[in-house]
Amino acid sequence: MRFVDEYRDADKARALSARIASLCEPGREYKFMEVCGGHTHTIYKHGLEDYLPETITLVHGPGCPVCVIPMGRVDDAIHIAEQPGVVMTSFGDMMRVPGGRGSFFDSKARGAEIRMVYSPLDALKVARQNPDRQVVFMAIGFETTAPSTAMTVLRAAAEGIGNFSVFCNHVTIIPAIKAILDSPDLRLDGFVGPGHVSTIIGCRPYEFIARDYGKPLVVAGFEPLDILQSIYMLLLQLAEGRSEVENQYSRVVPWQGNVRALRAISEVMELRPYFEWRGLGFISHSALRVRDRYAAHDAERIFQIPGGRVADPKACQCGEVLKGVLKPWECKVFGTACTPETPIGTCMVSSEGACAAYYNFGRFSRERVREATR
């Protein structure tokens, strides 16, 4: 395949659907988790659930980096942004994420200078142009975006740009998956593994899932046929009694990962002892912080931050959605009080959030469109 439309061929999708149905054991229910929020959006944008038998259920995991940021960290970032002489910079999908004191947009309305950027290098450019201001980059994301943050810190240090720092909220995917596997709330048959994260870390870190928990995992791409093929590969493993890590996204993901990117992360960052995840609580060694040698570019050391915990609104059930325990439409405020225009929880804000996917693509109930498989 060379062109995007080839990965969206309806005839090939129907053929894969038939092969998937042929592998399903009569009377058995299957539950697979797509870890990445990008997969969730592909599934509902293209109606892939309607190509699957009723006995296969897809649940979403904690693979949306914006969604898992707890409200307390948002408040800490707002506290930094509202300090005199600070310019806070952030990716666009963080601007509306609610904390206990509102969002970045609310803080901006109160007078804080908060700018939307497309990369940490844009934030470094702002620091060069404003040597009399402290420019802070709100660093979020899994291992996918951590290398760009690390490389920017290295460049700032090399160029002696002392007014640039990062507020590091990078998280790591493996401890979150392990927390889900250890949770009694959810029983899974396998995982559609994250594609973007795997371009950096490779496939080897997932091997414990198959070895220790007996669950197959297939790293998947983001086109409709990628995901359908990955589900077929999971079912084939189960039918053959295998439990392995396989790489469907081999056109992009190297088995060993991106060694140079991992080296950059290791140079600038180290694991935190623990970090709070929305919905999952505190998970040990699940996030990154700036190493001591680059403390001059660590906003957590430059500024006094409150570091408090903030409970989610009682009506919000993002935690259960992130763990795959609830479907978004099972949340009491989904599509009513909580919409992309008036979000209560992070899952409705982010472009990778499960609630936003369900809302934008019209999945408001359990009902499927059976015509797709005829």
Side-chain angles (χ1 to χ4, degrees), residues 328-350:
W329 47 261
E330 294 177 301
C331 176
K332 296 176 182 178
V333 295
F334 172 76
T336 54
C338 185
T339 68
E341 290 73 30
T342 57
I344 294 176
T346 53
C347 295
M348 189 63 88
V349 175
S350 171

Side-chain angles (χ1 to χ4, degrees), residues 44 64 79 113 119 138 161 187 191 195 242 256 299-300 303 307 360:
Y44 294 104
C64 166
H79 175 80
E113 185 168 353
S119 82
M138 177 73 173
I161 303 176
R187 298 188 64 170
F191 291 88
R242 295 184 292 118
Q256 301 293 341
E300 289 188 70
F303 301 95
N360 290 331

Side-chain angles (χ1 to χ4, degrees), residues 137 139 141-143 145-154 166 168-172 262-272 287-294:
F137 175 65
F142 289 94
E143 292 93 336
T145 53
S148 61
T149 301
M151 292 302 298
T152 305
V153 170
L154 289 171
V166 299
C168 190
N169 293 277
H170 287 296
V171 289
T172 56
L262 291 170
R263 189 179 299 128
I265 296 173
S266 179
E267 166 65 20
V268 175
M269 303 173 188
E270 63 185 1
L271 287 172
R272 295 176 184 267
L288 300 169
R289 65 184 180 189
V290 178
R291 289 187 181 273
D292 290 344
R293 70 176 73 106
Y294 296 104

Side-chain angles (χ1 to χ4, degrees), residues 18 77 145-146 156 205-206 225 232 286 291 307 369:
T145 53
Y206 305 117
L225 293 186
Y232 170 77
S286 64
R291 289 187 181 273
V369 181

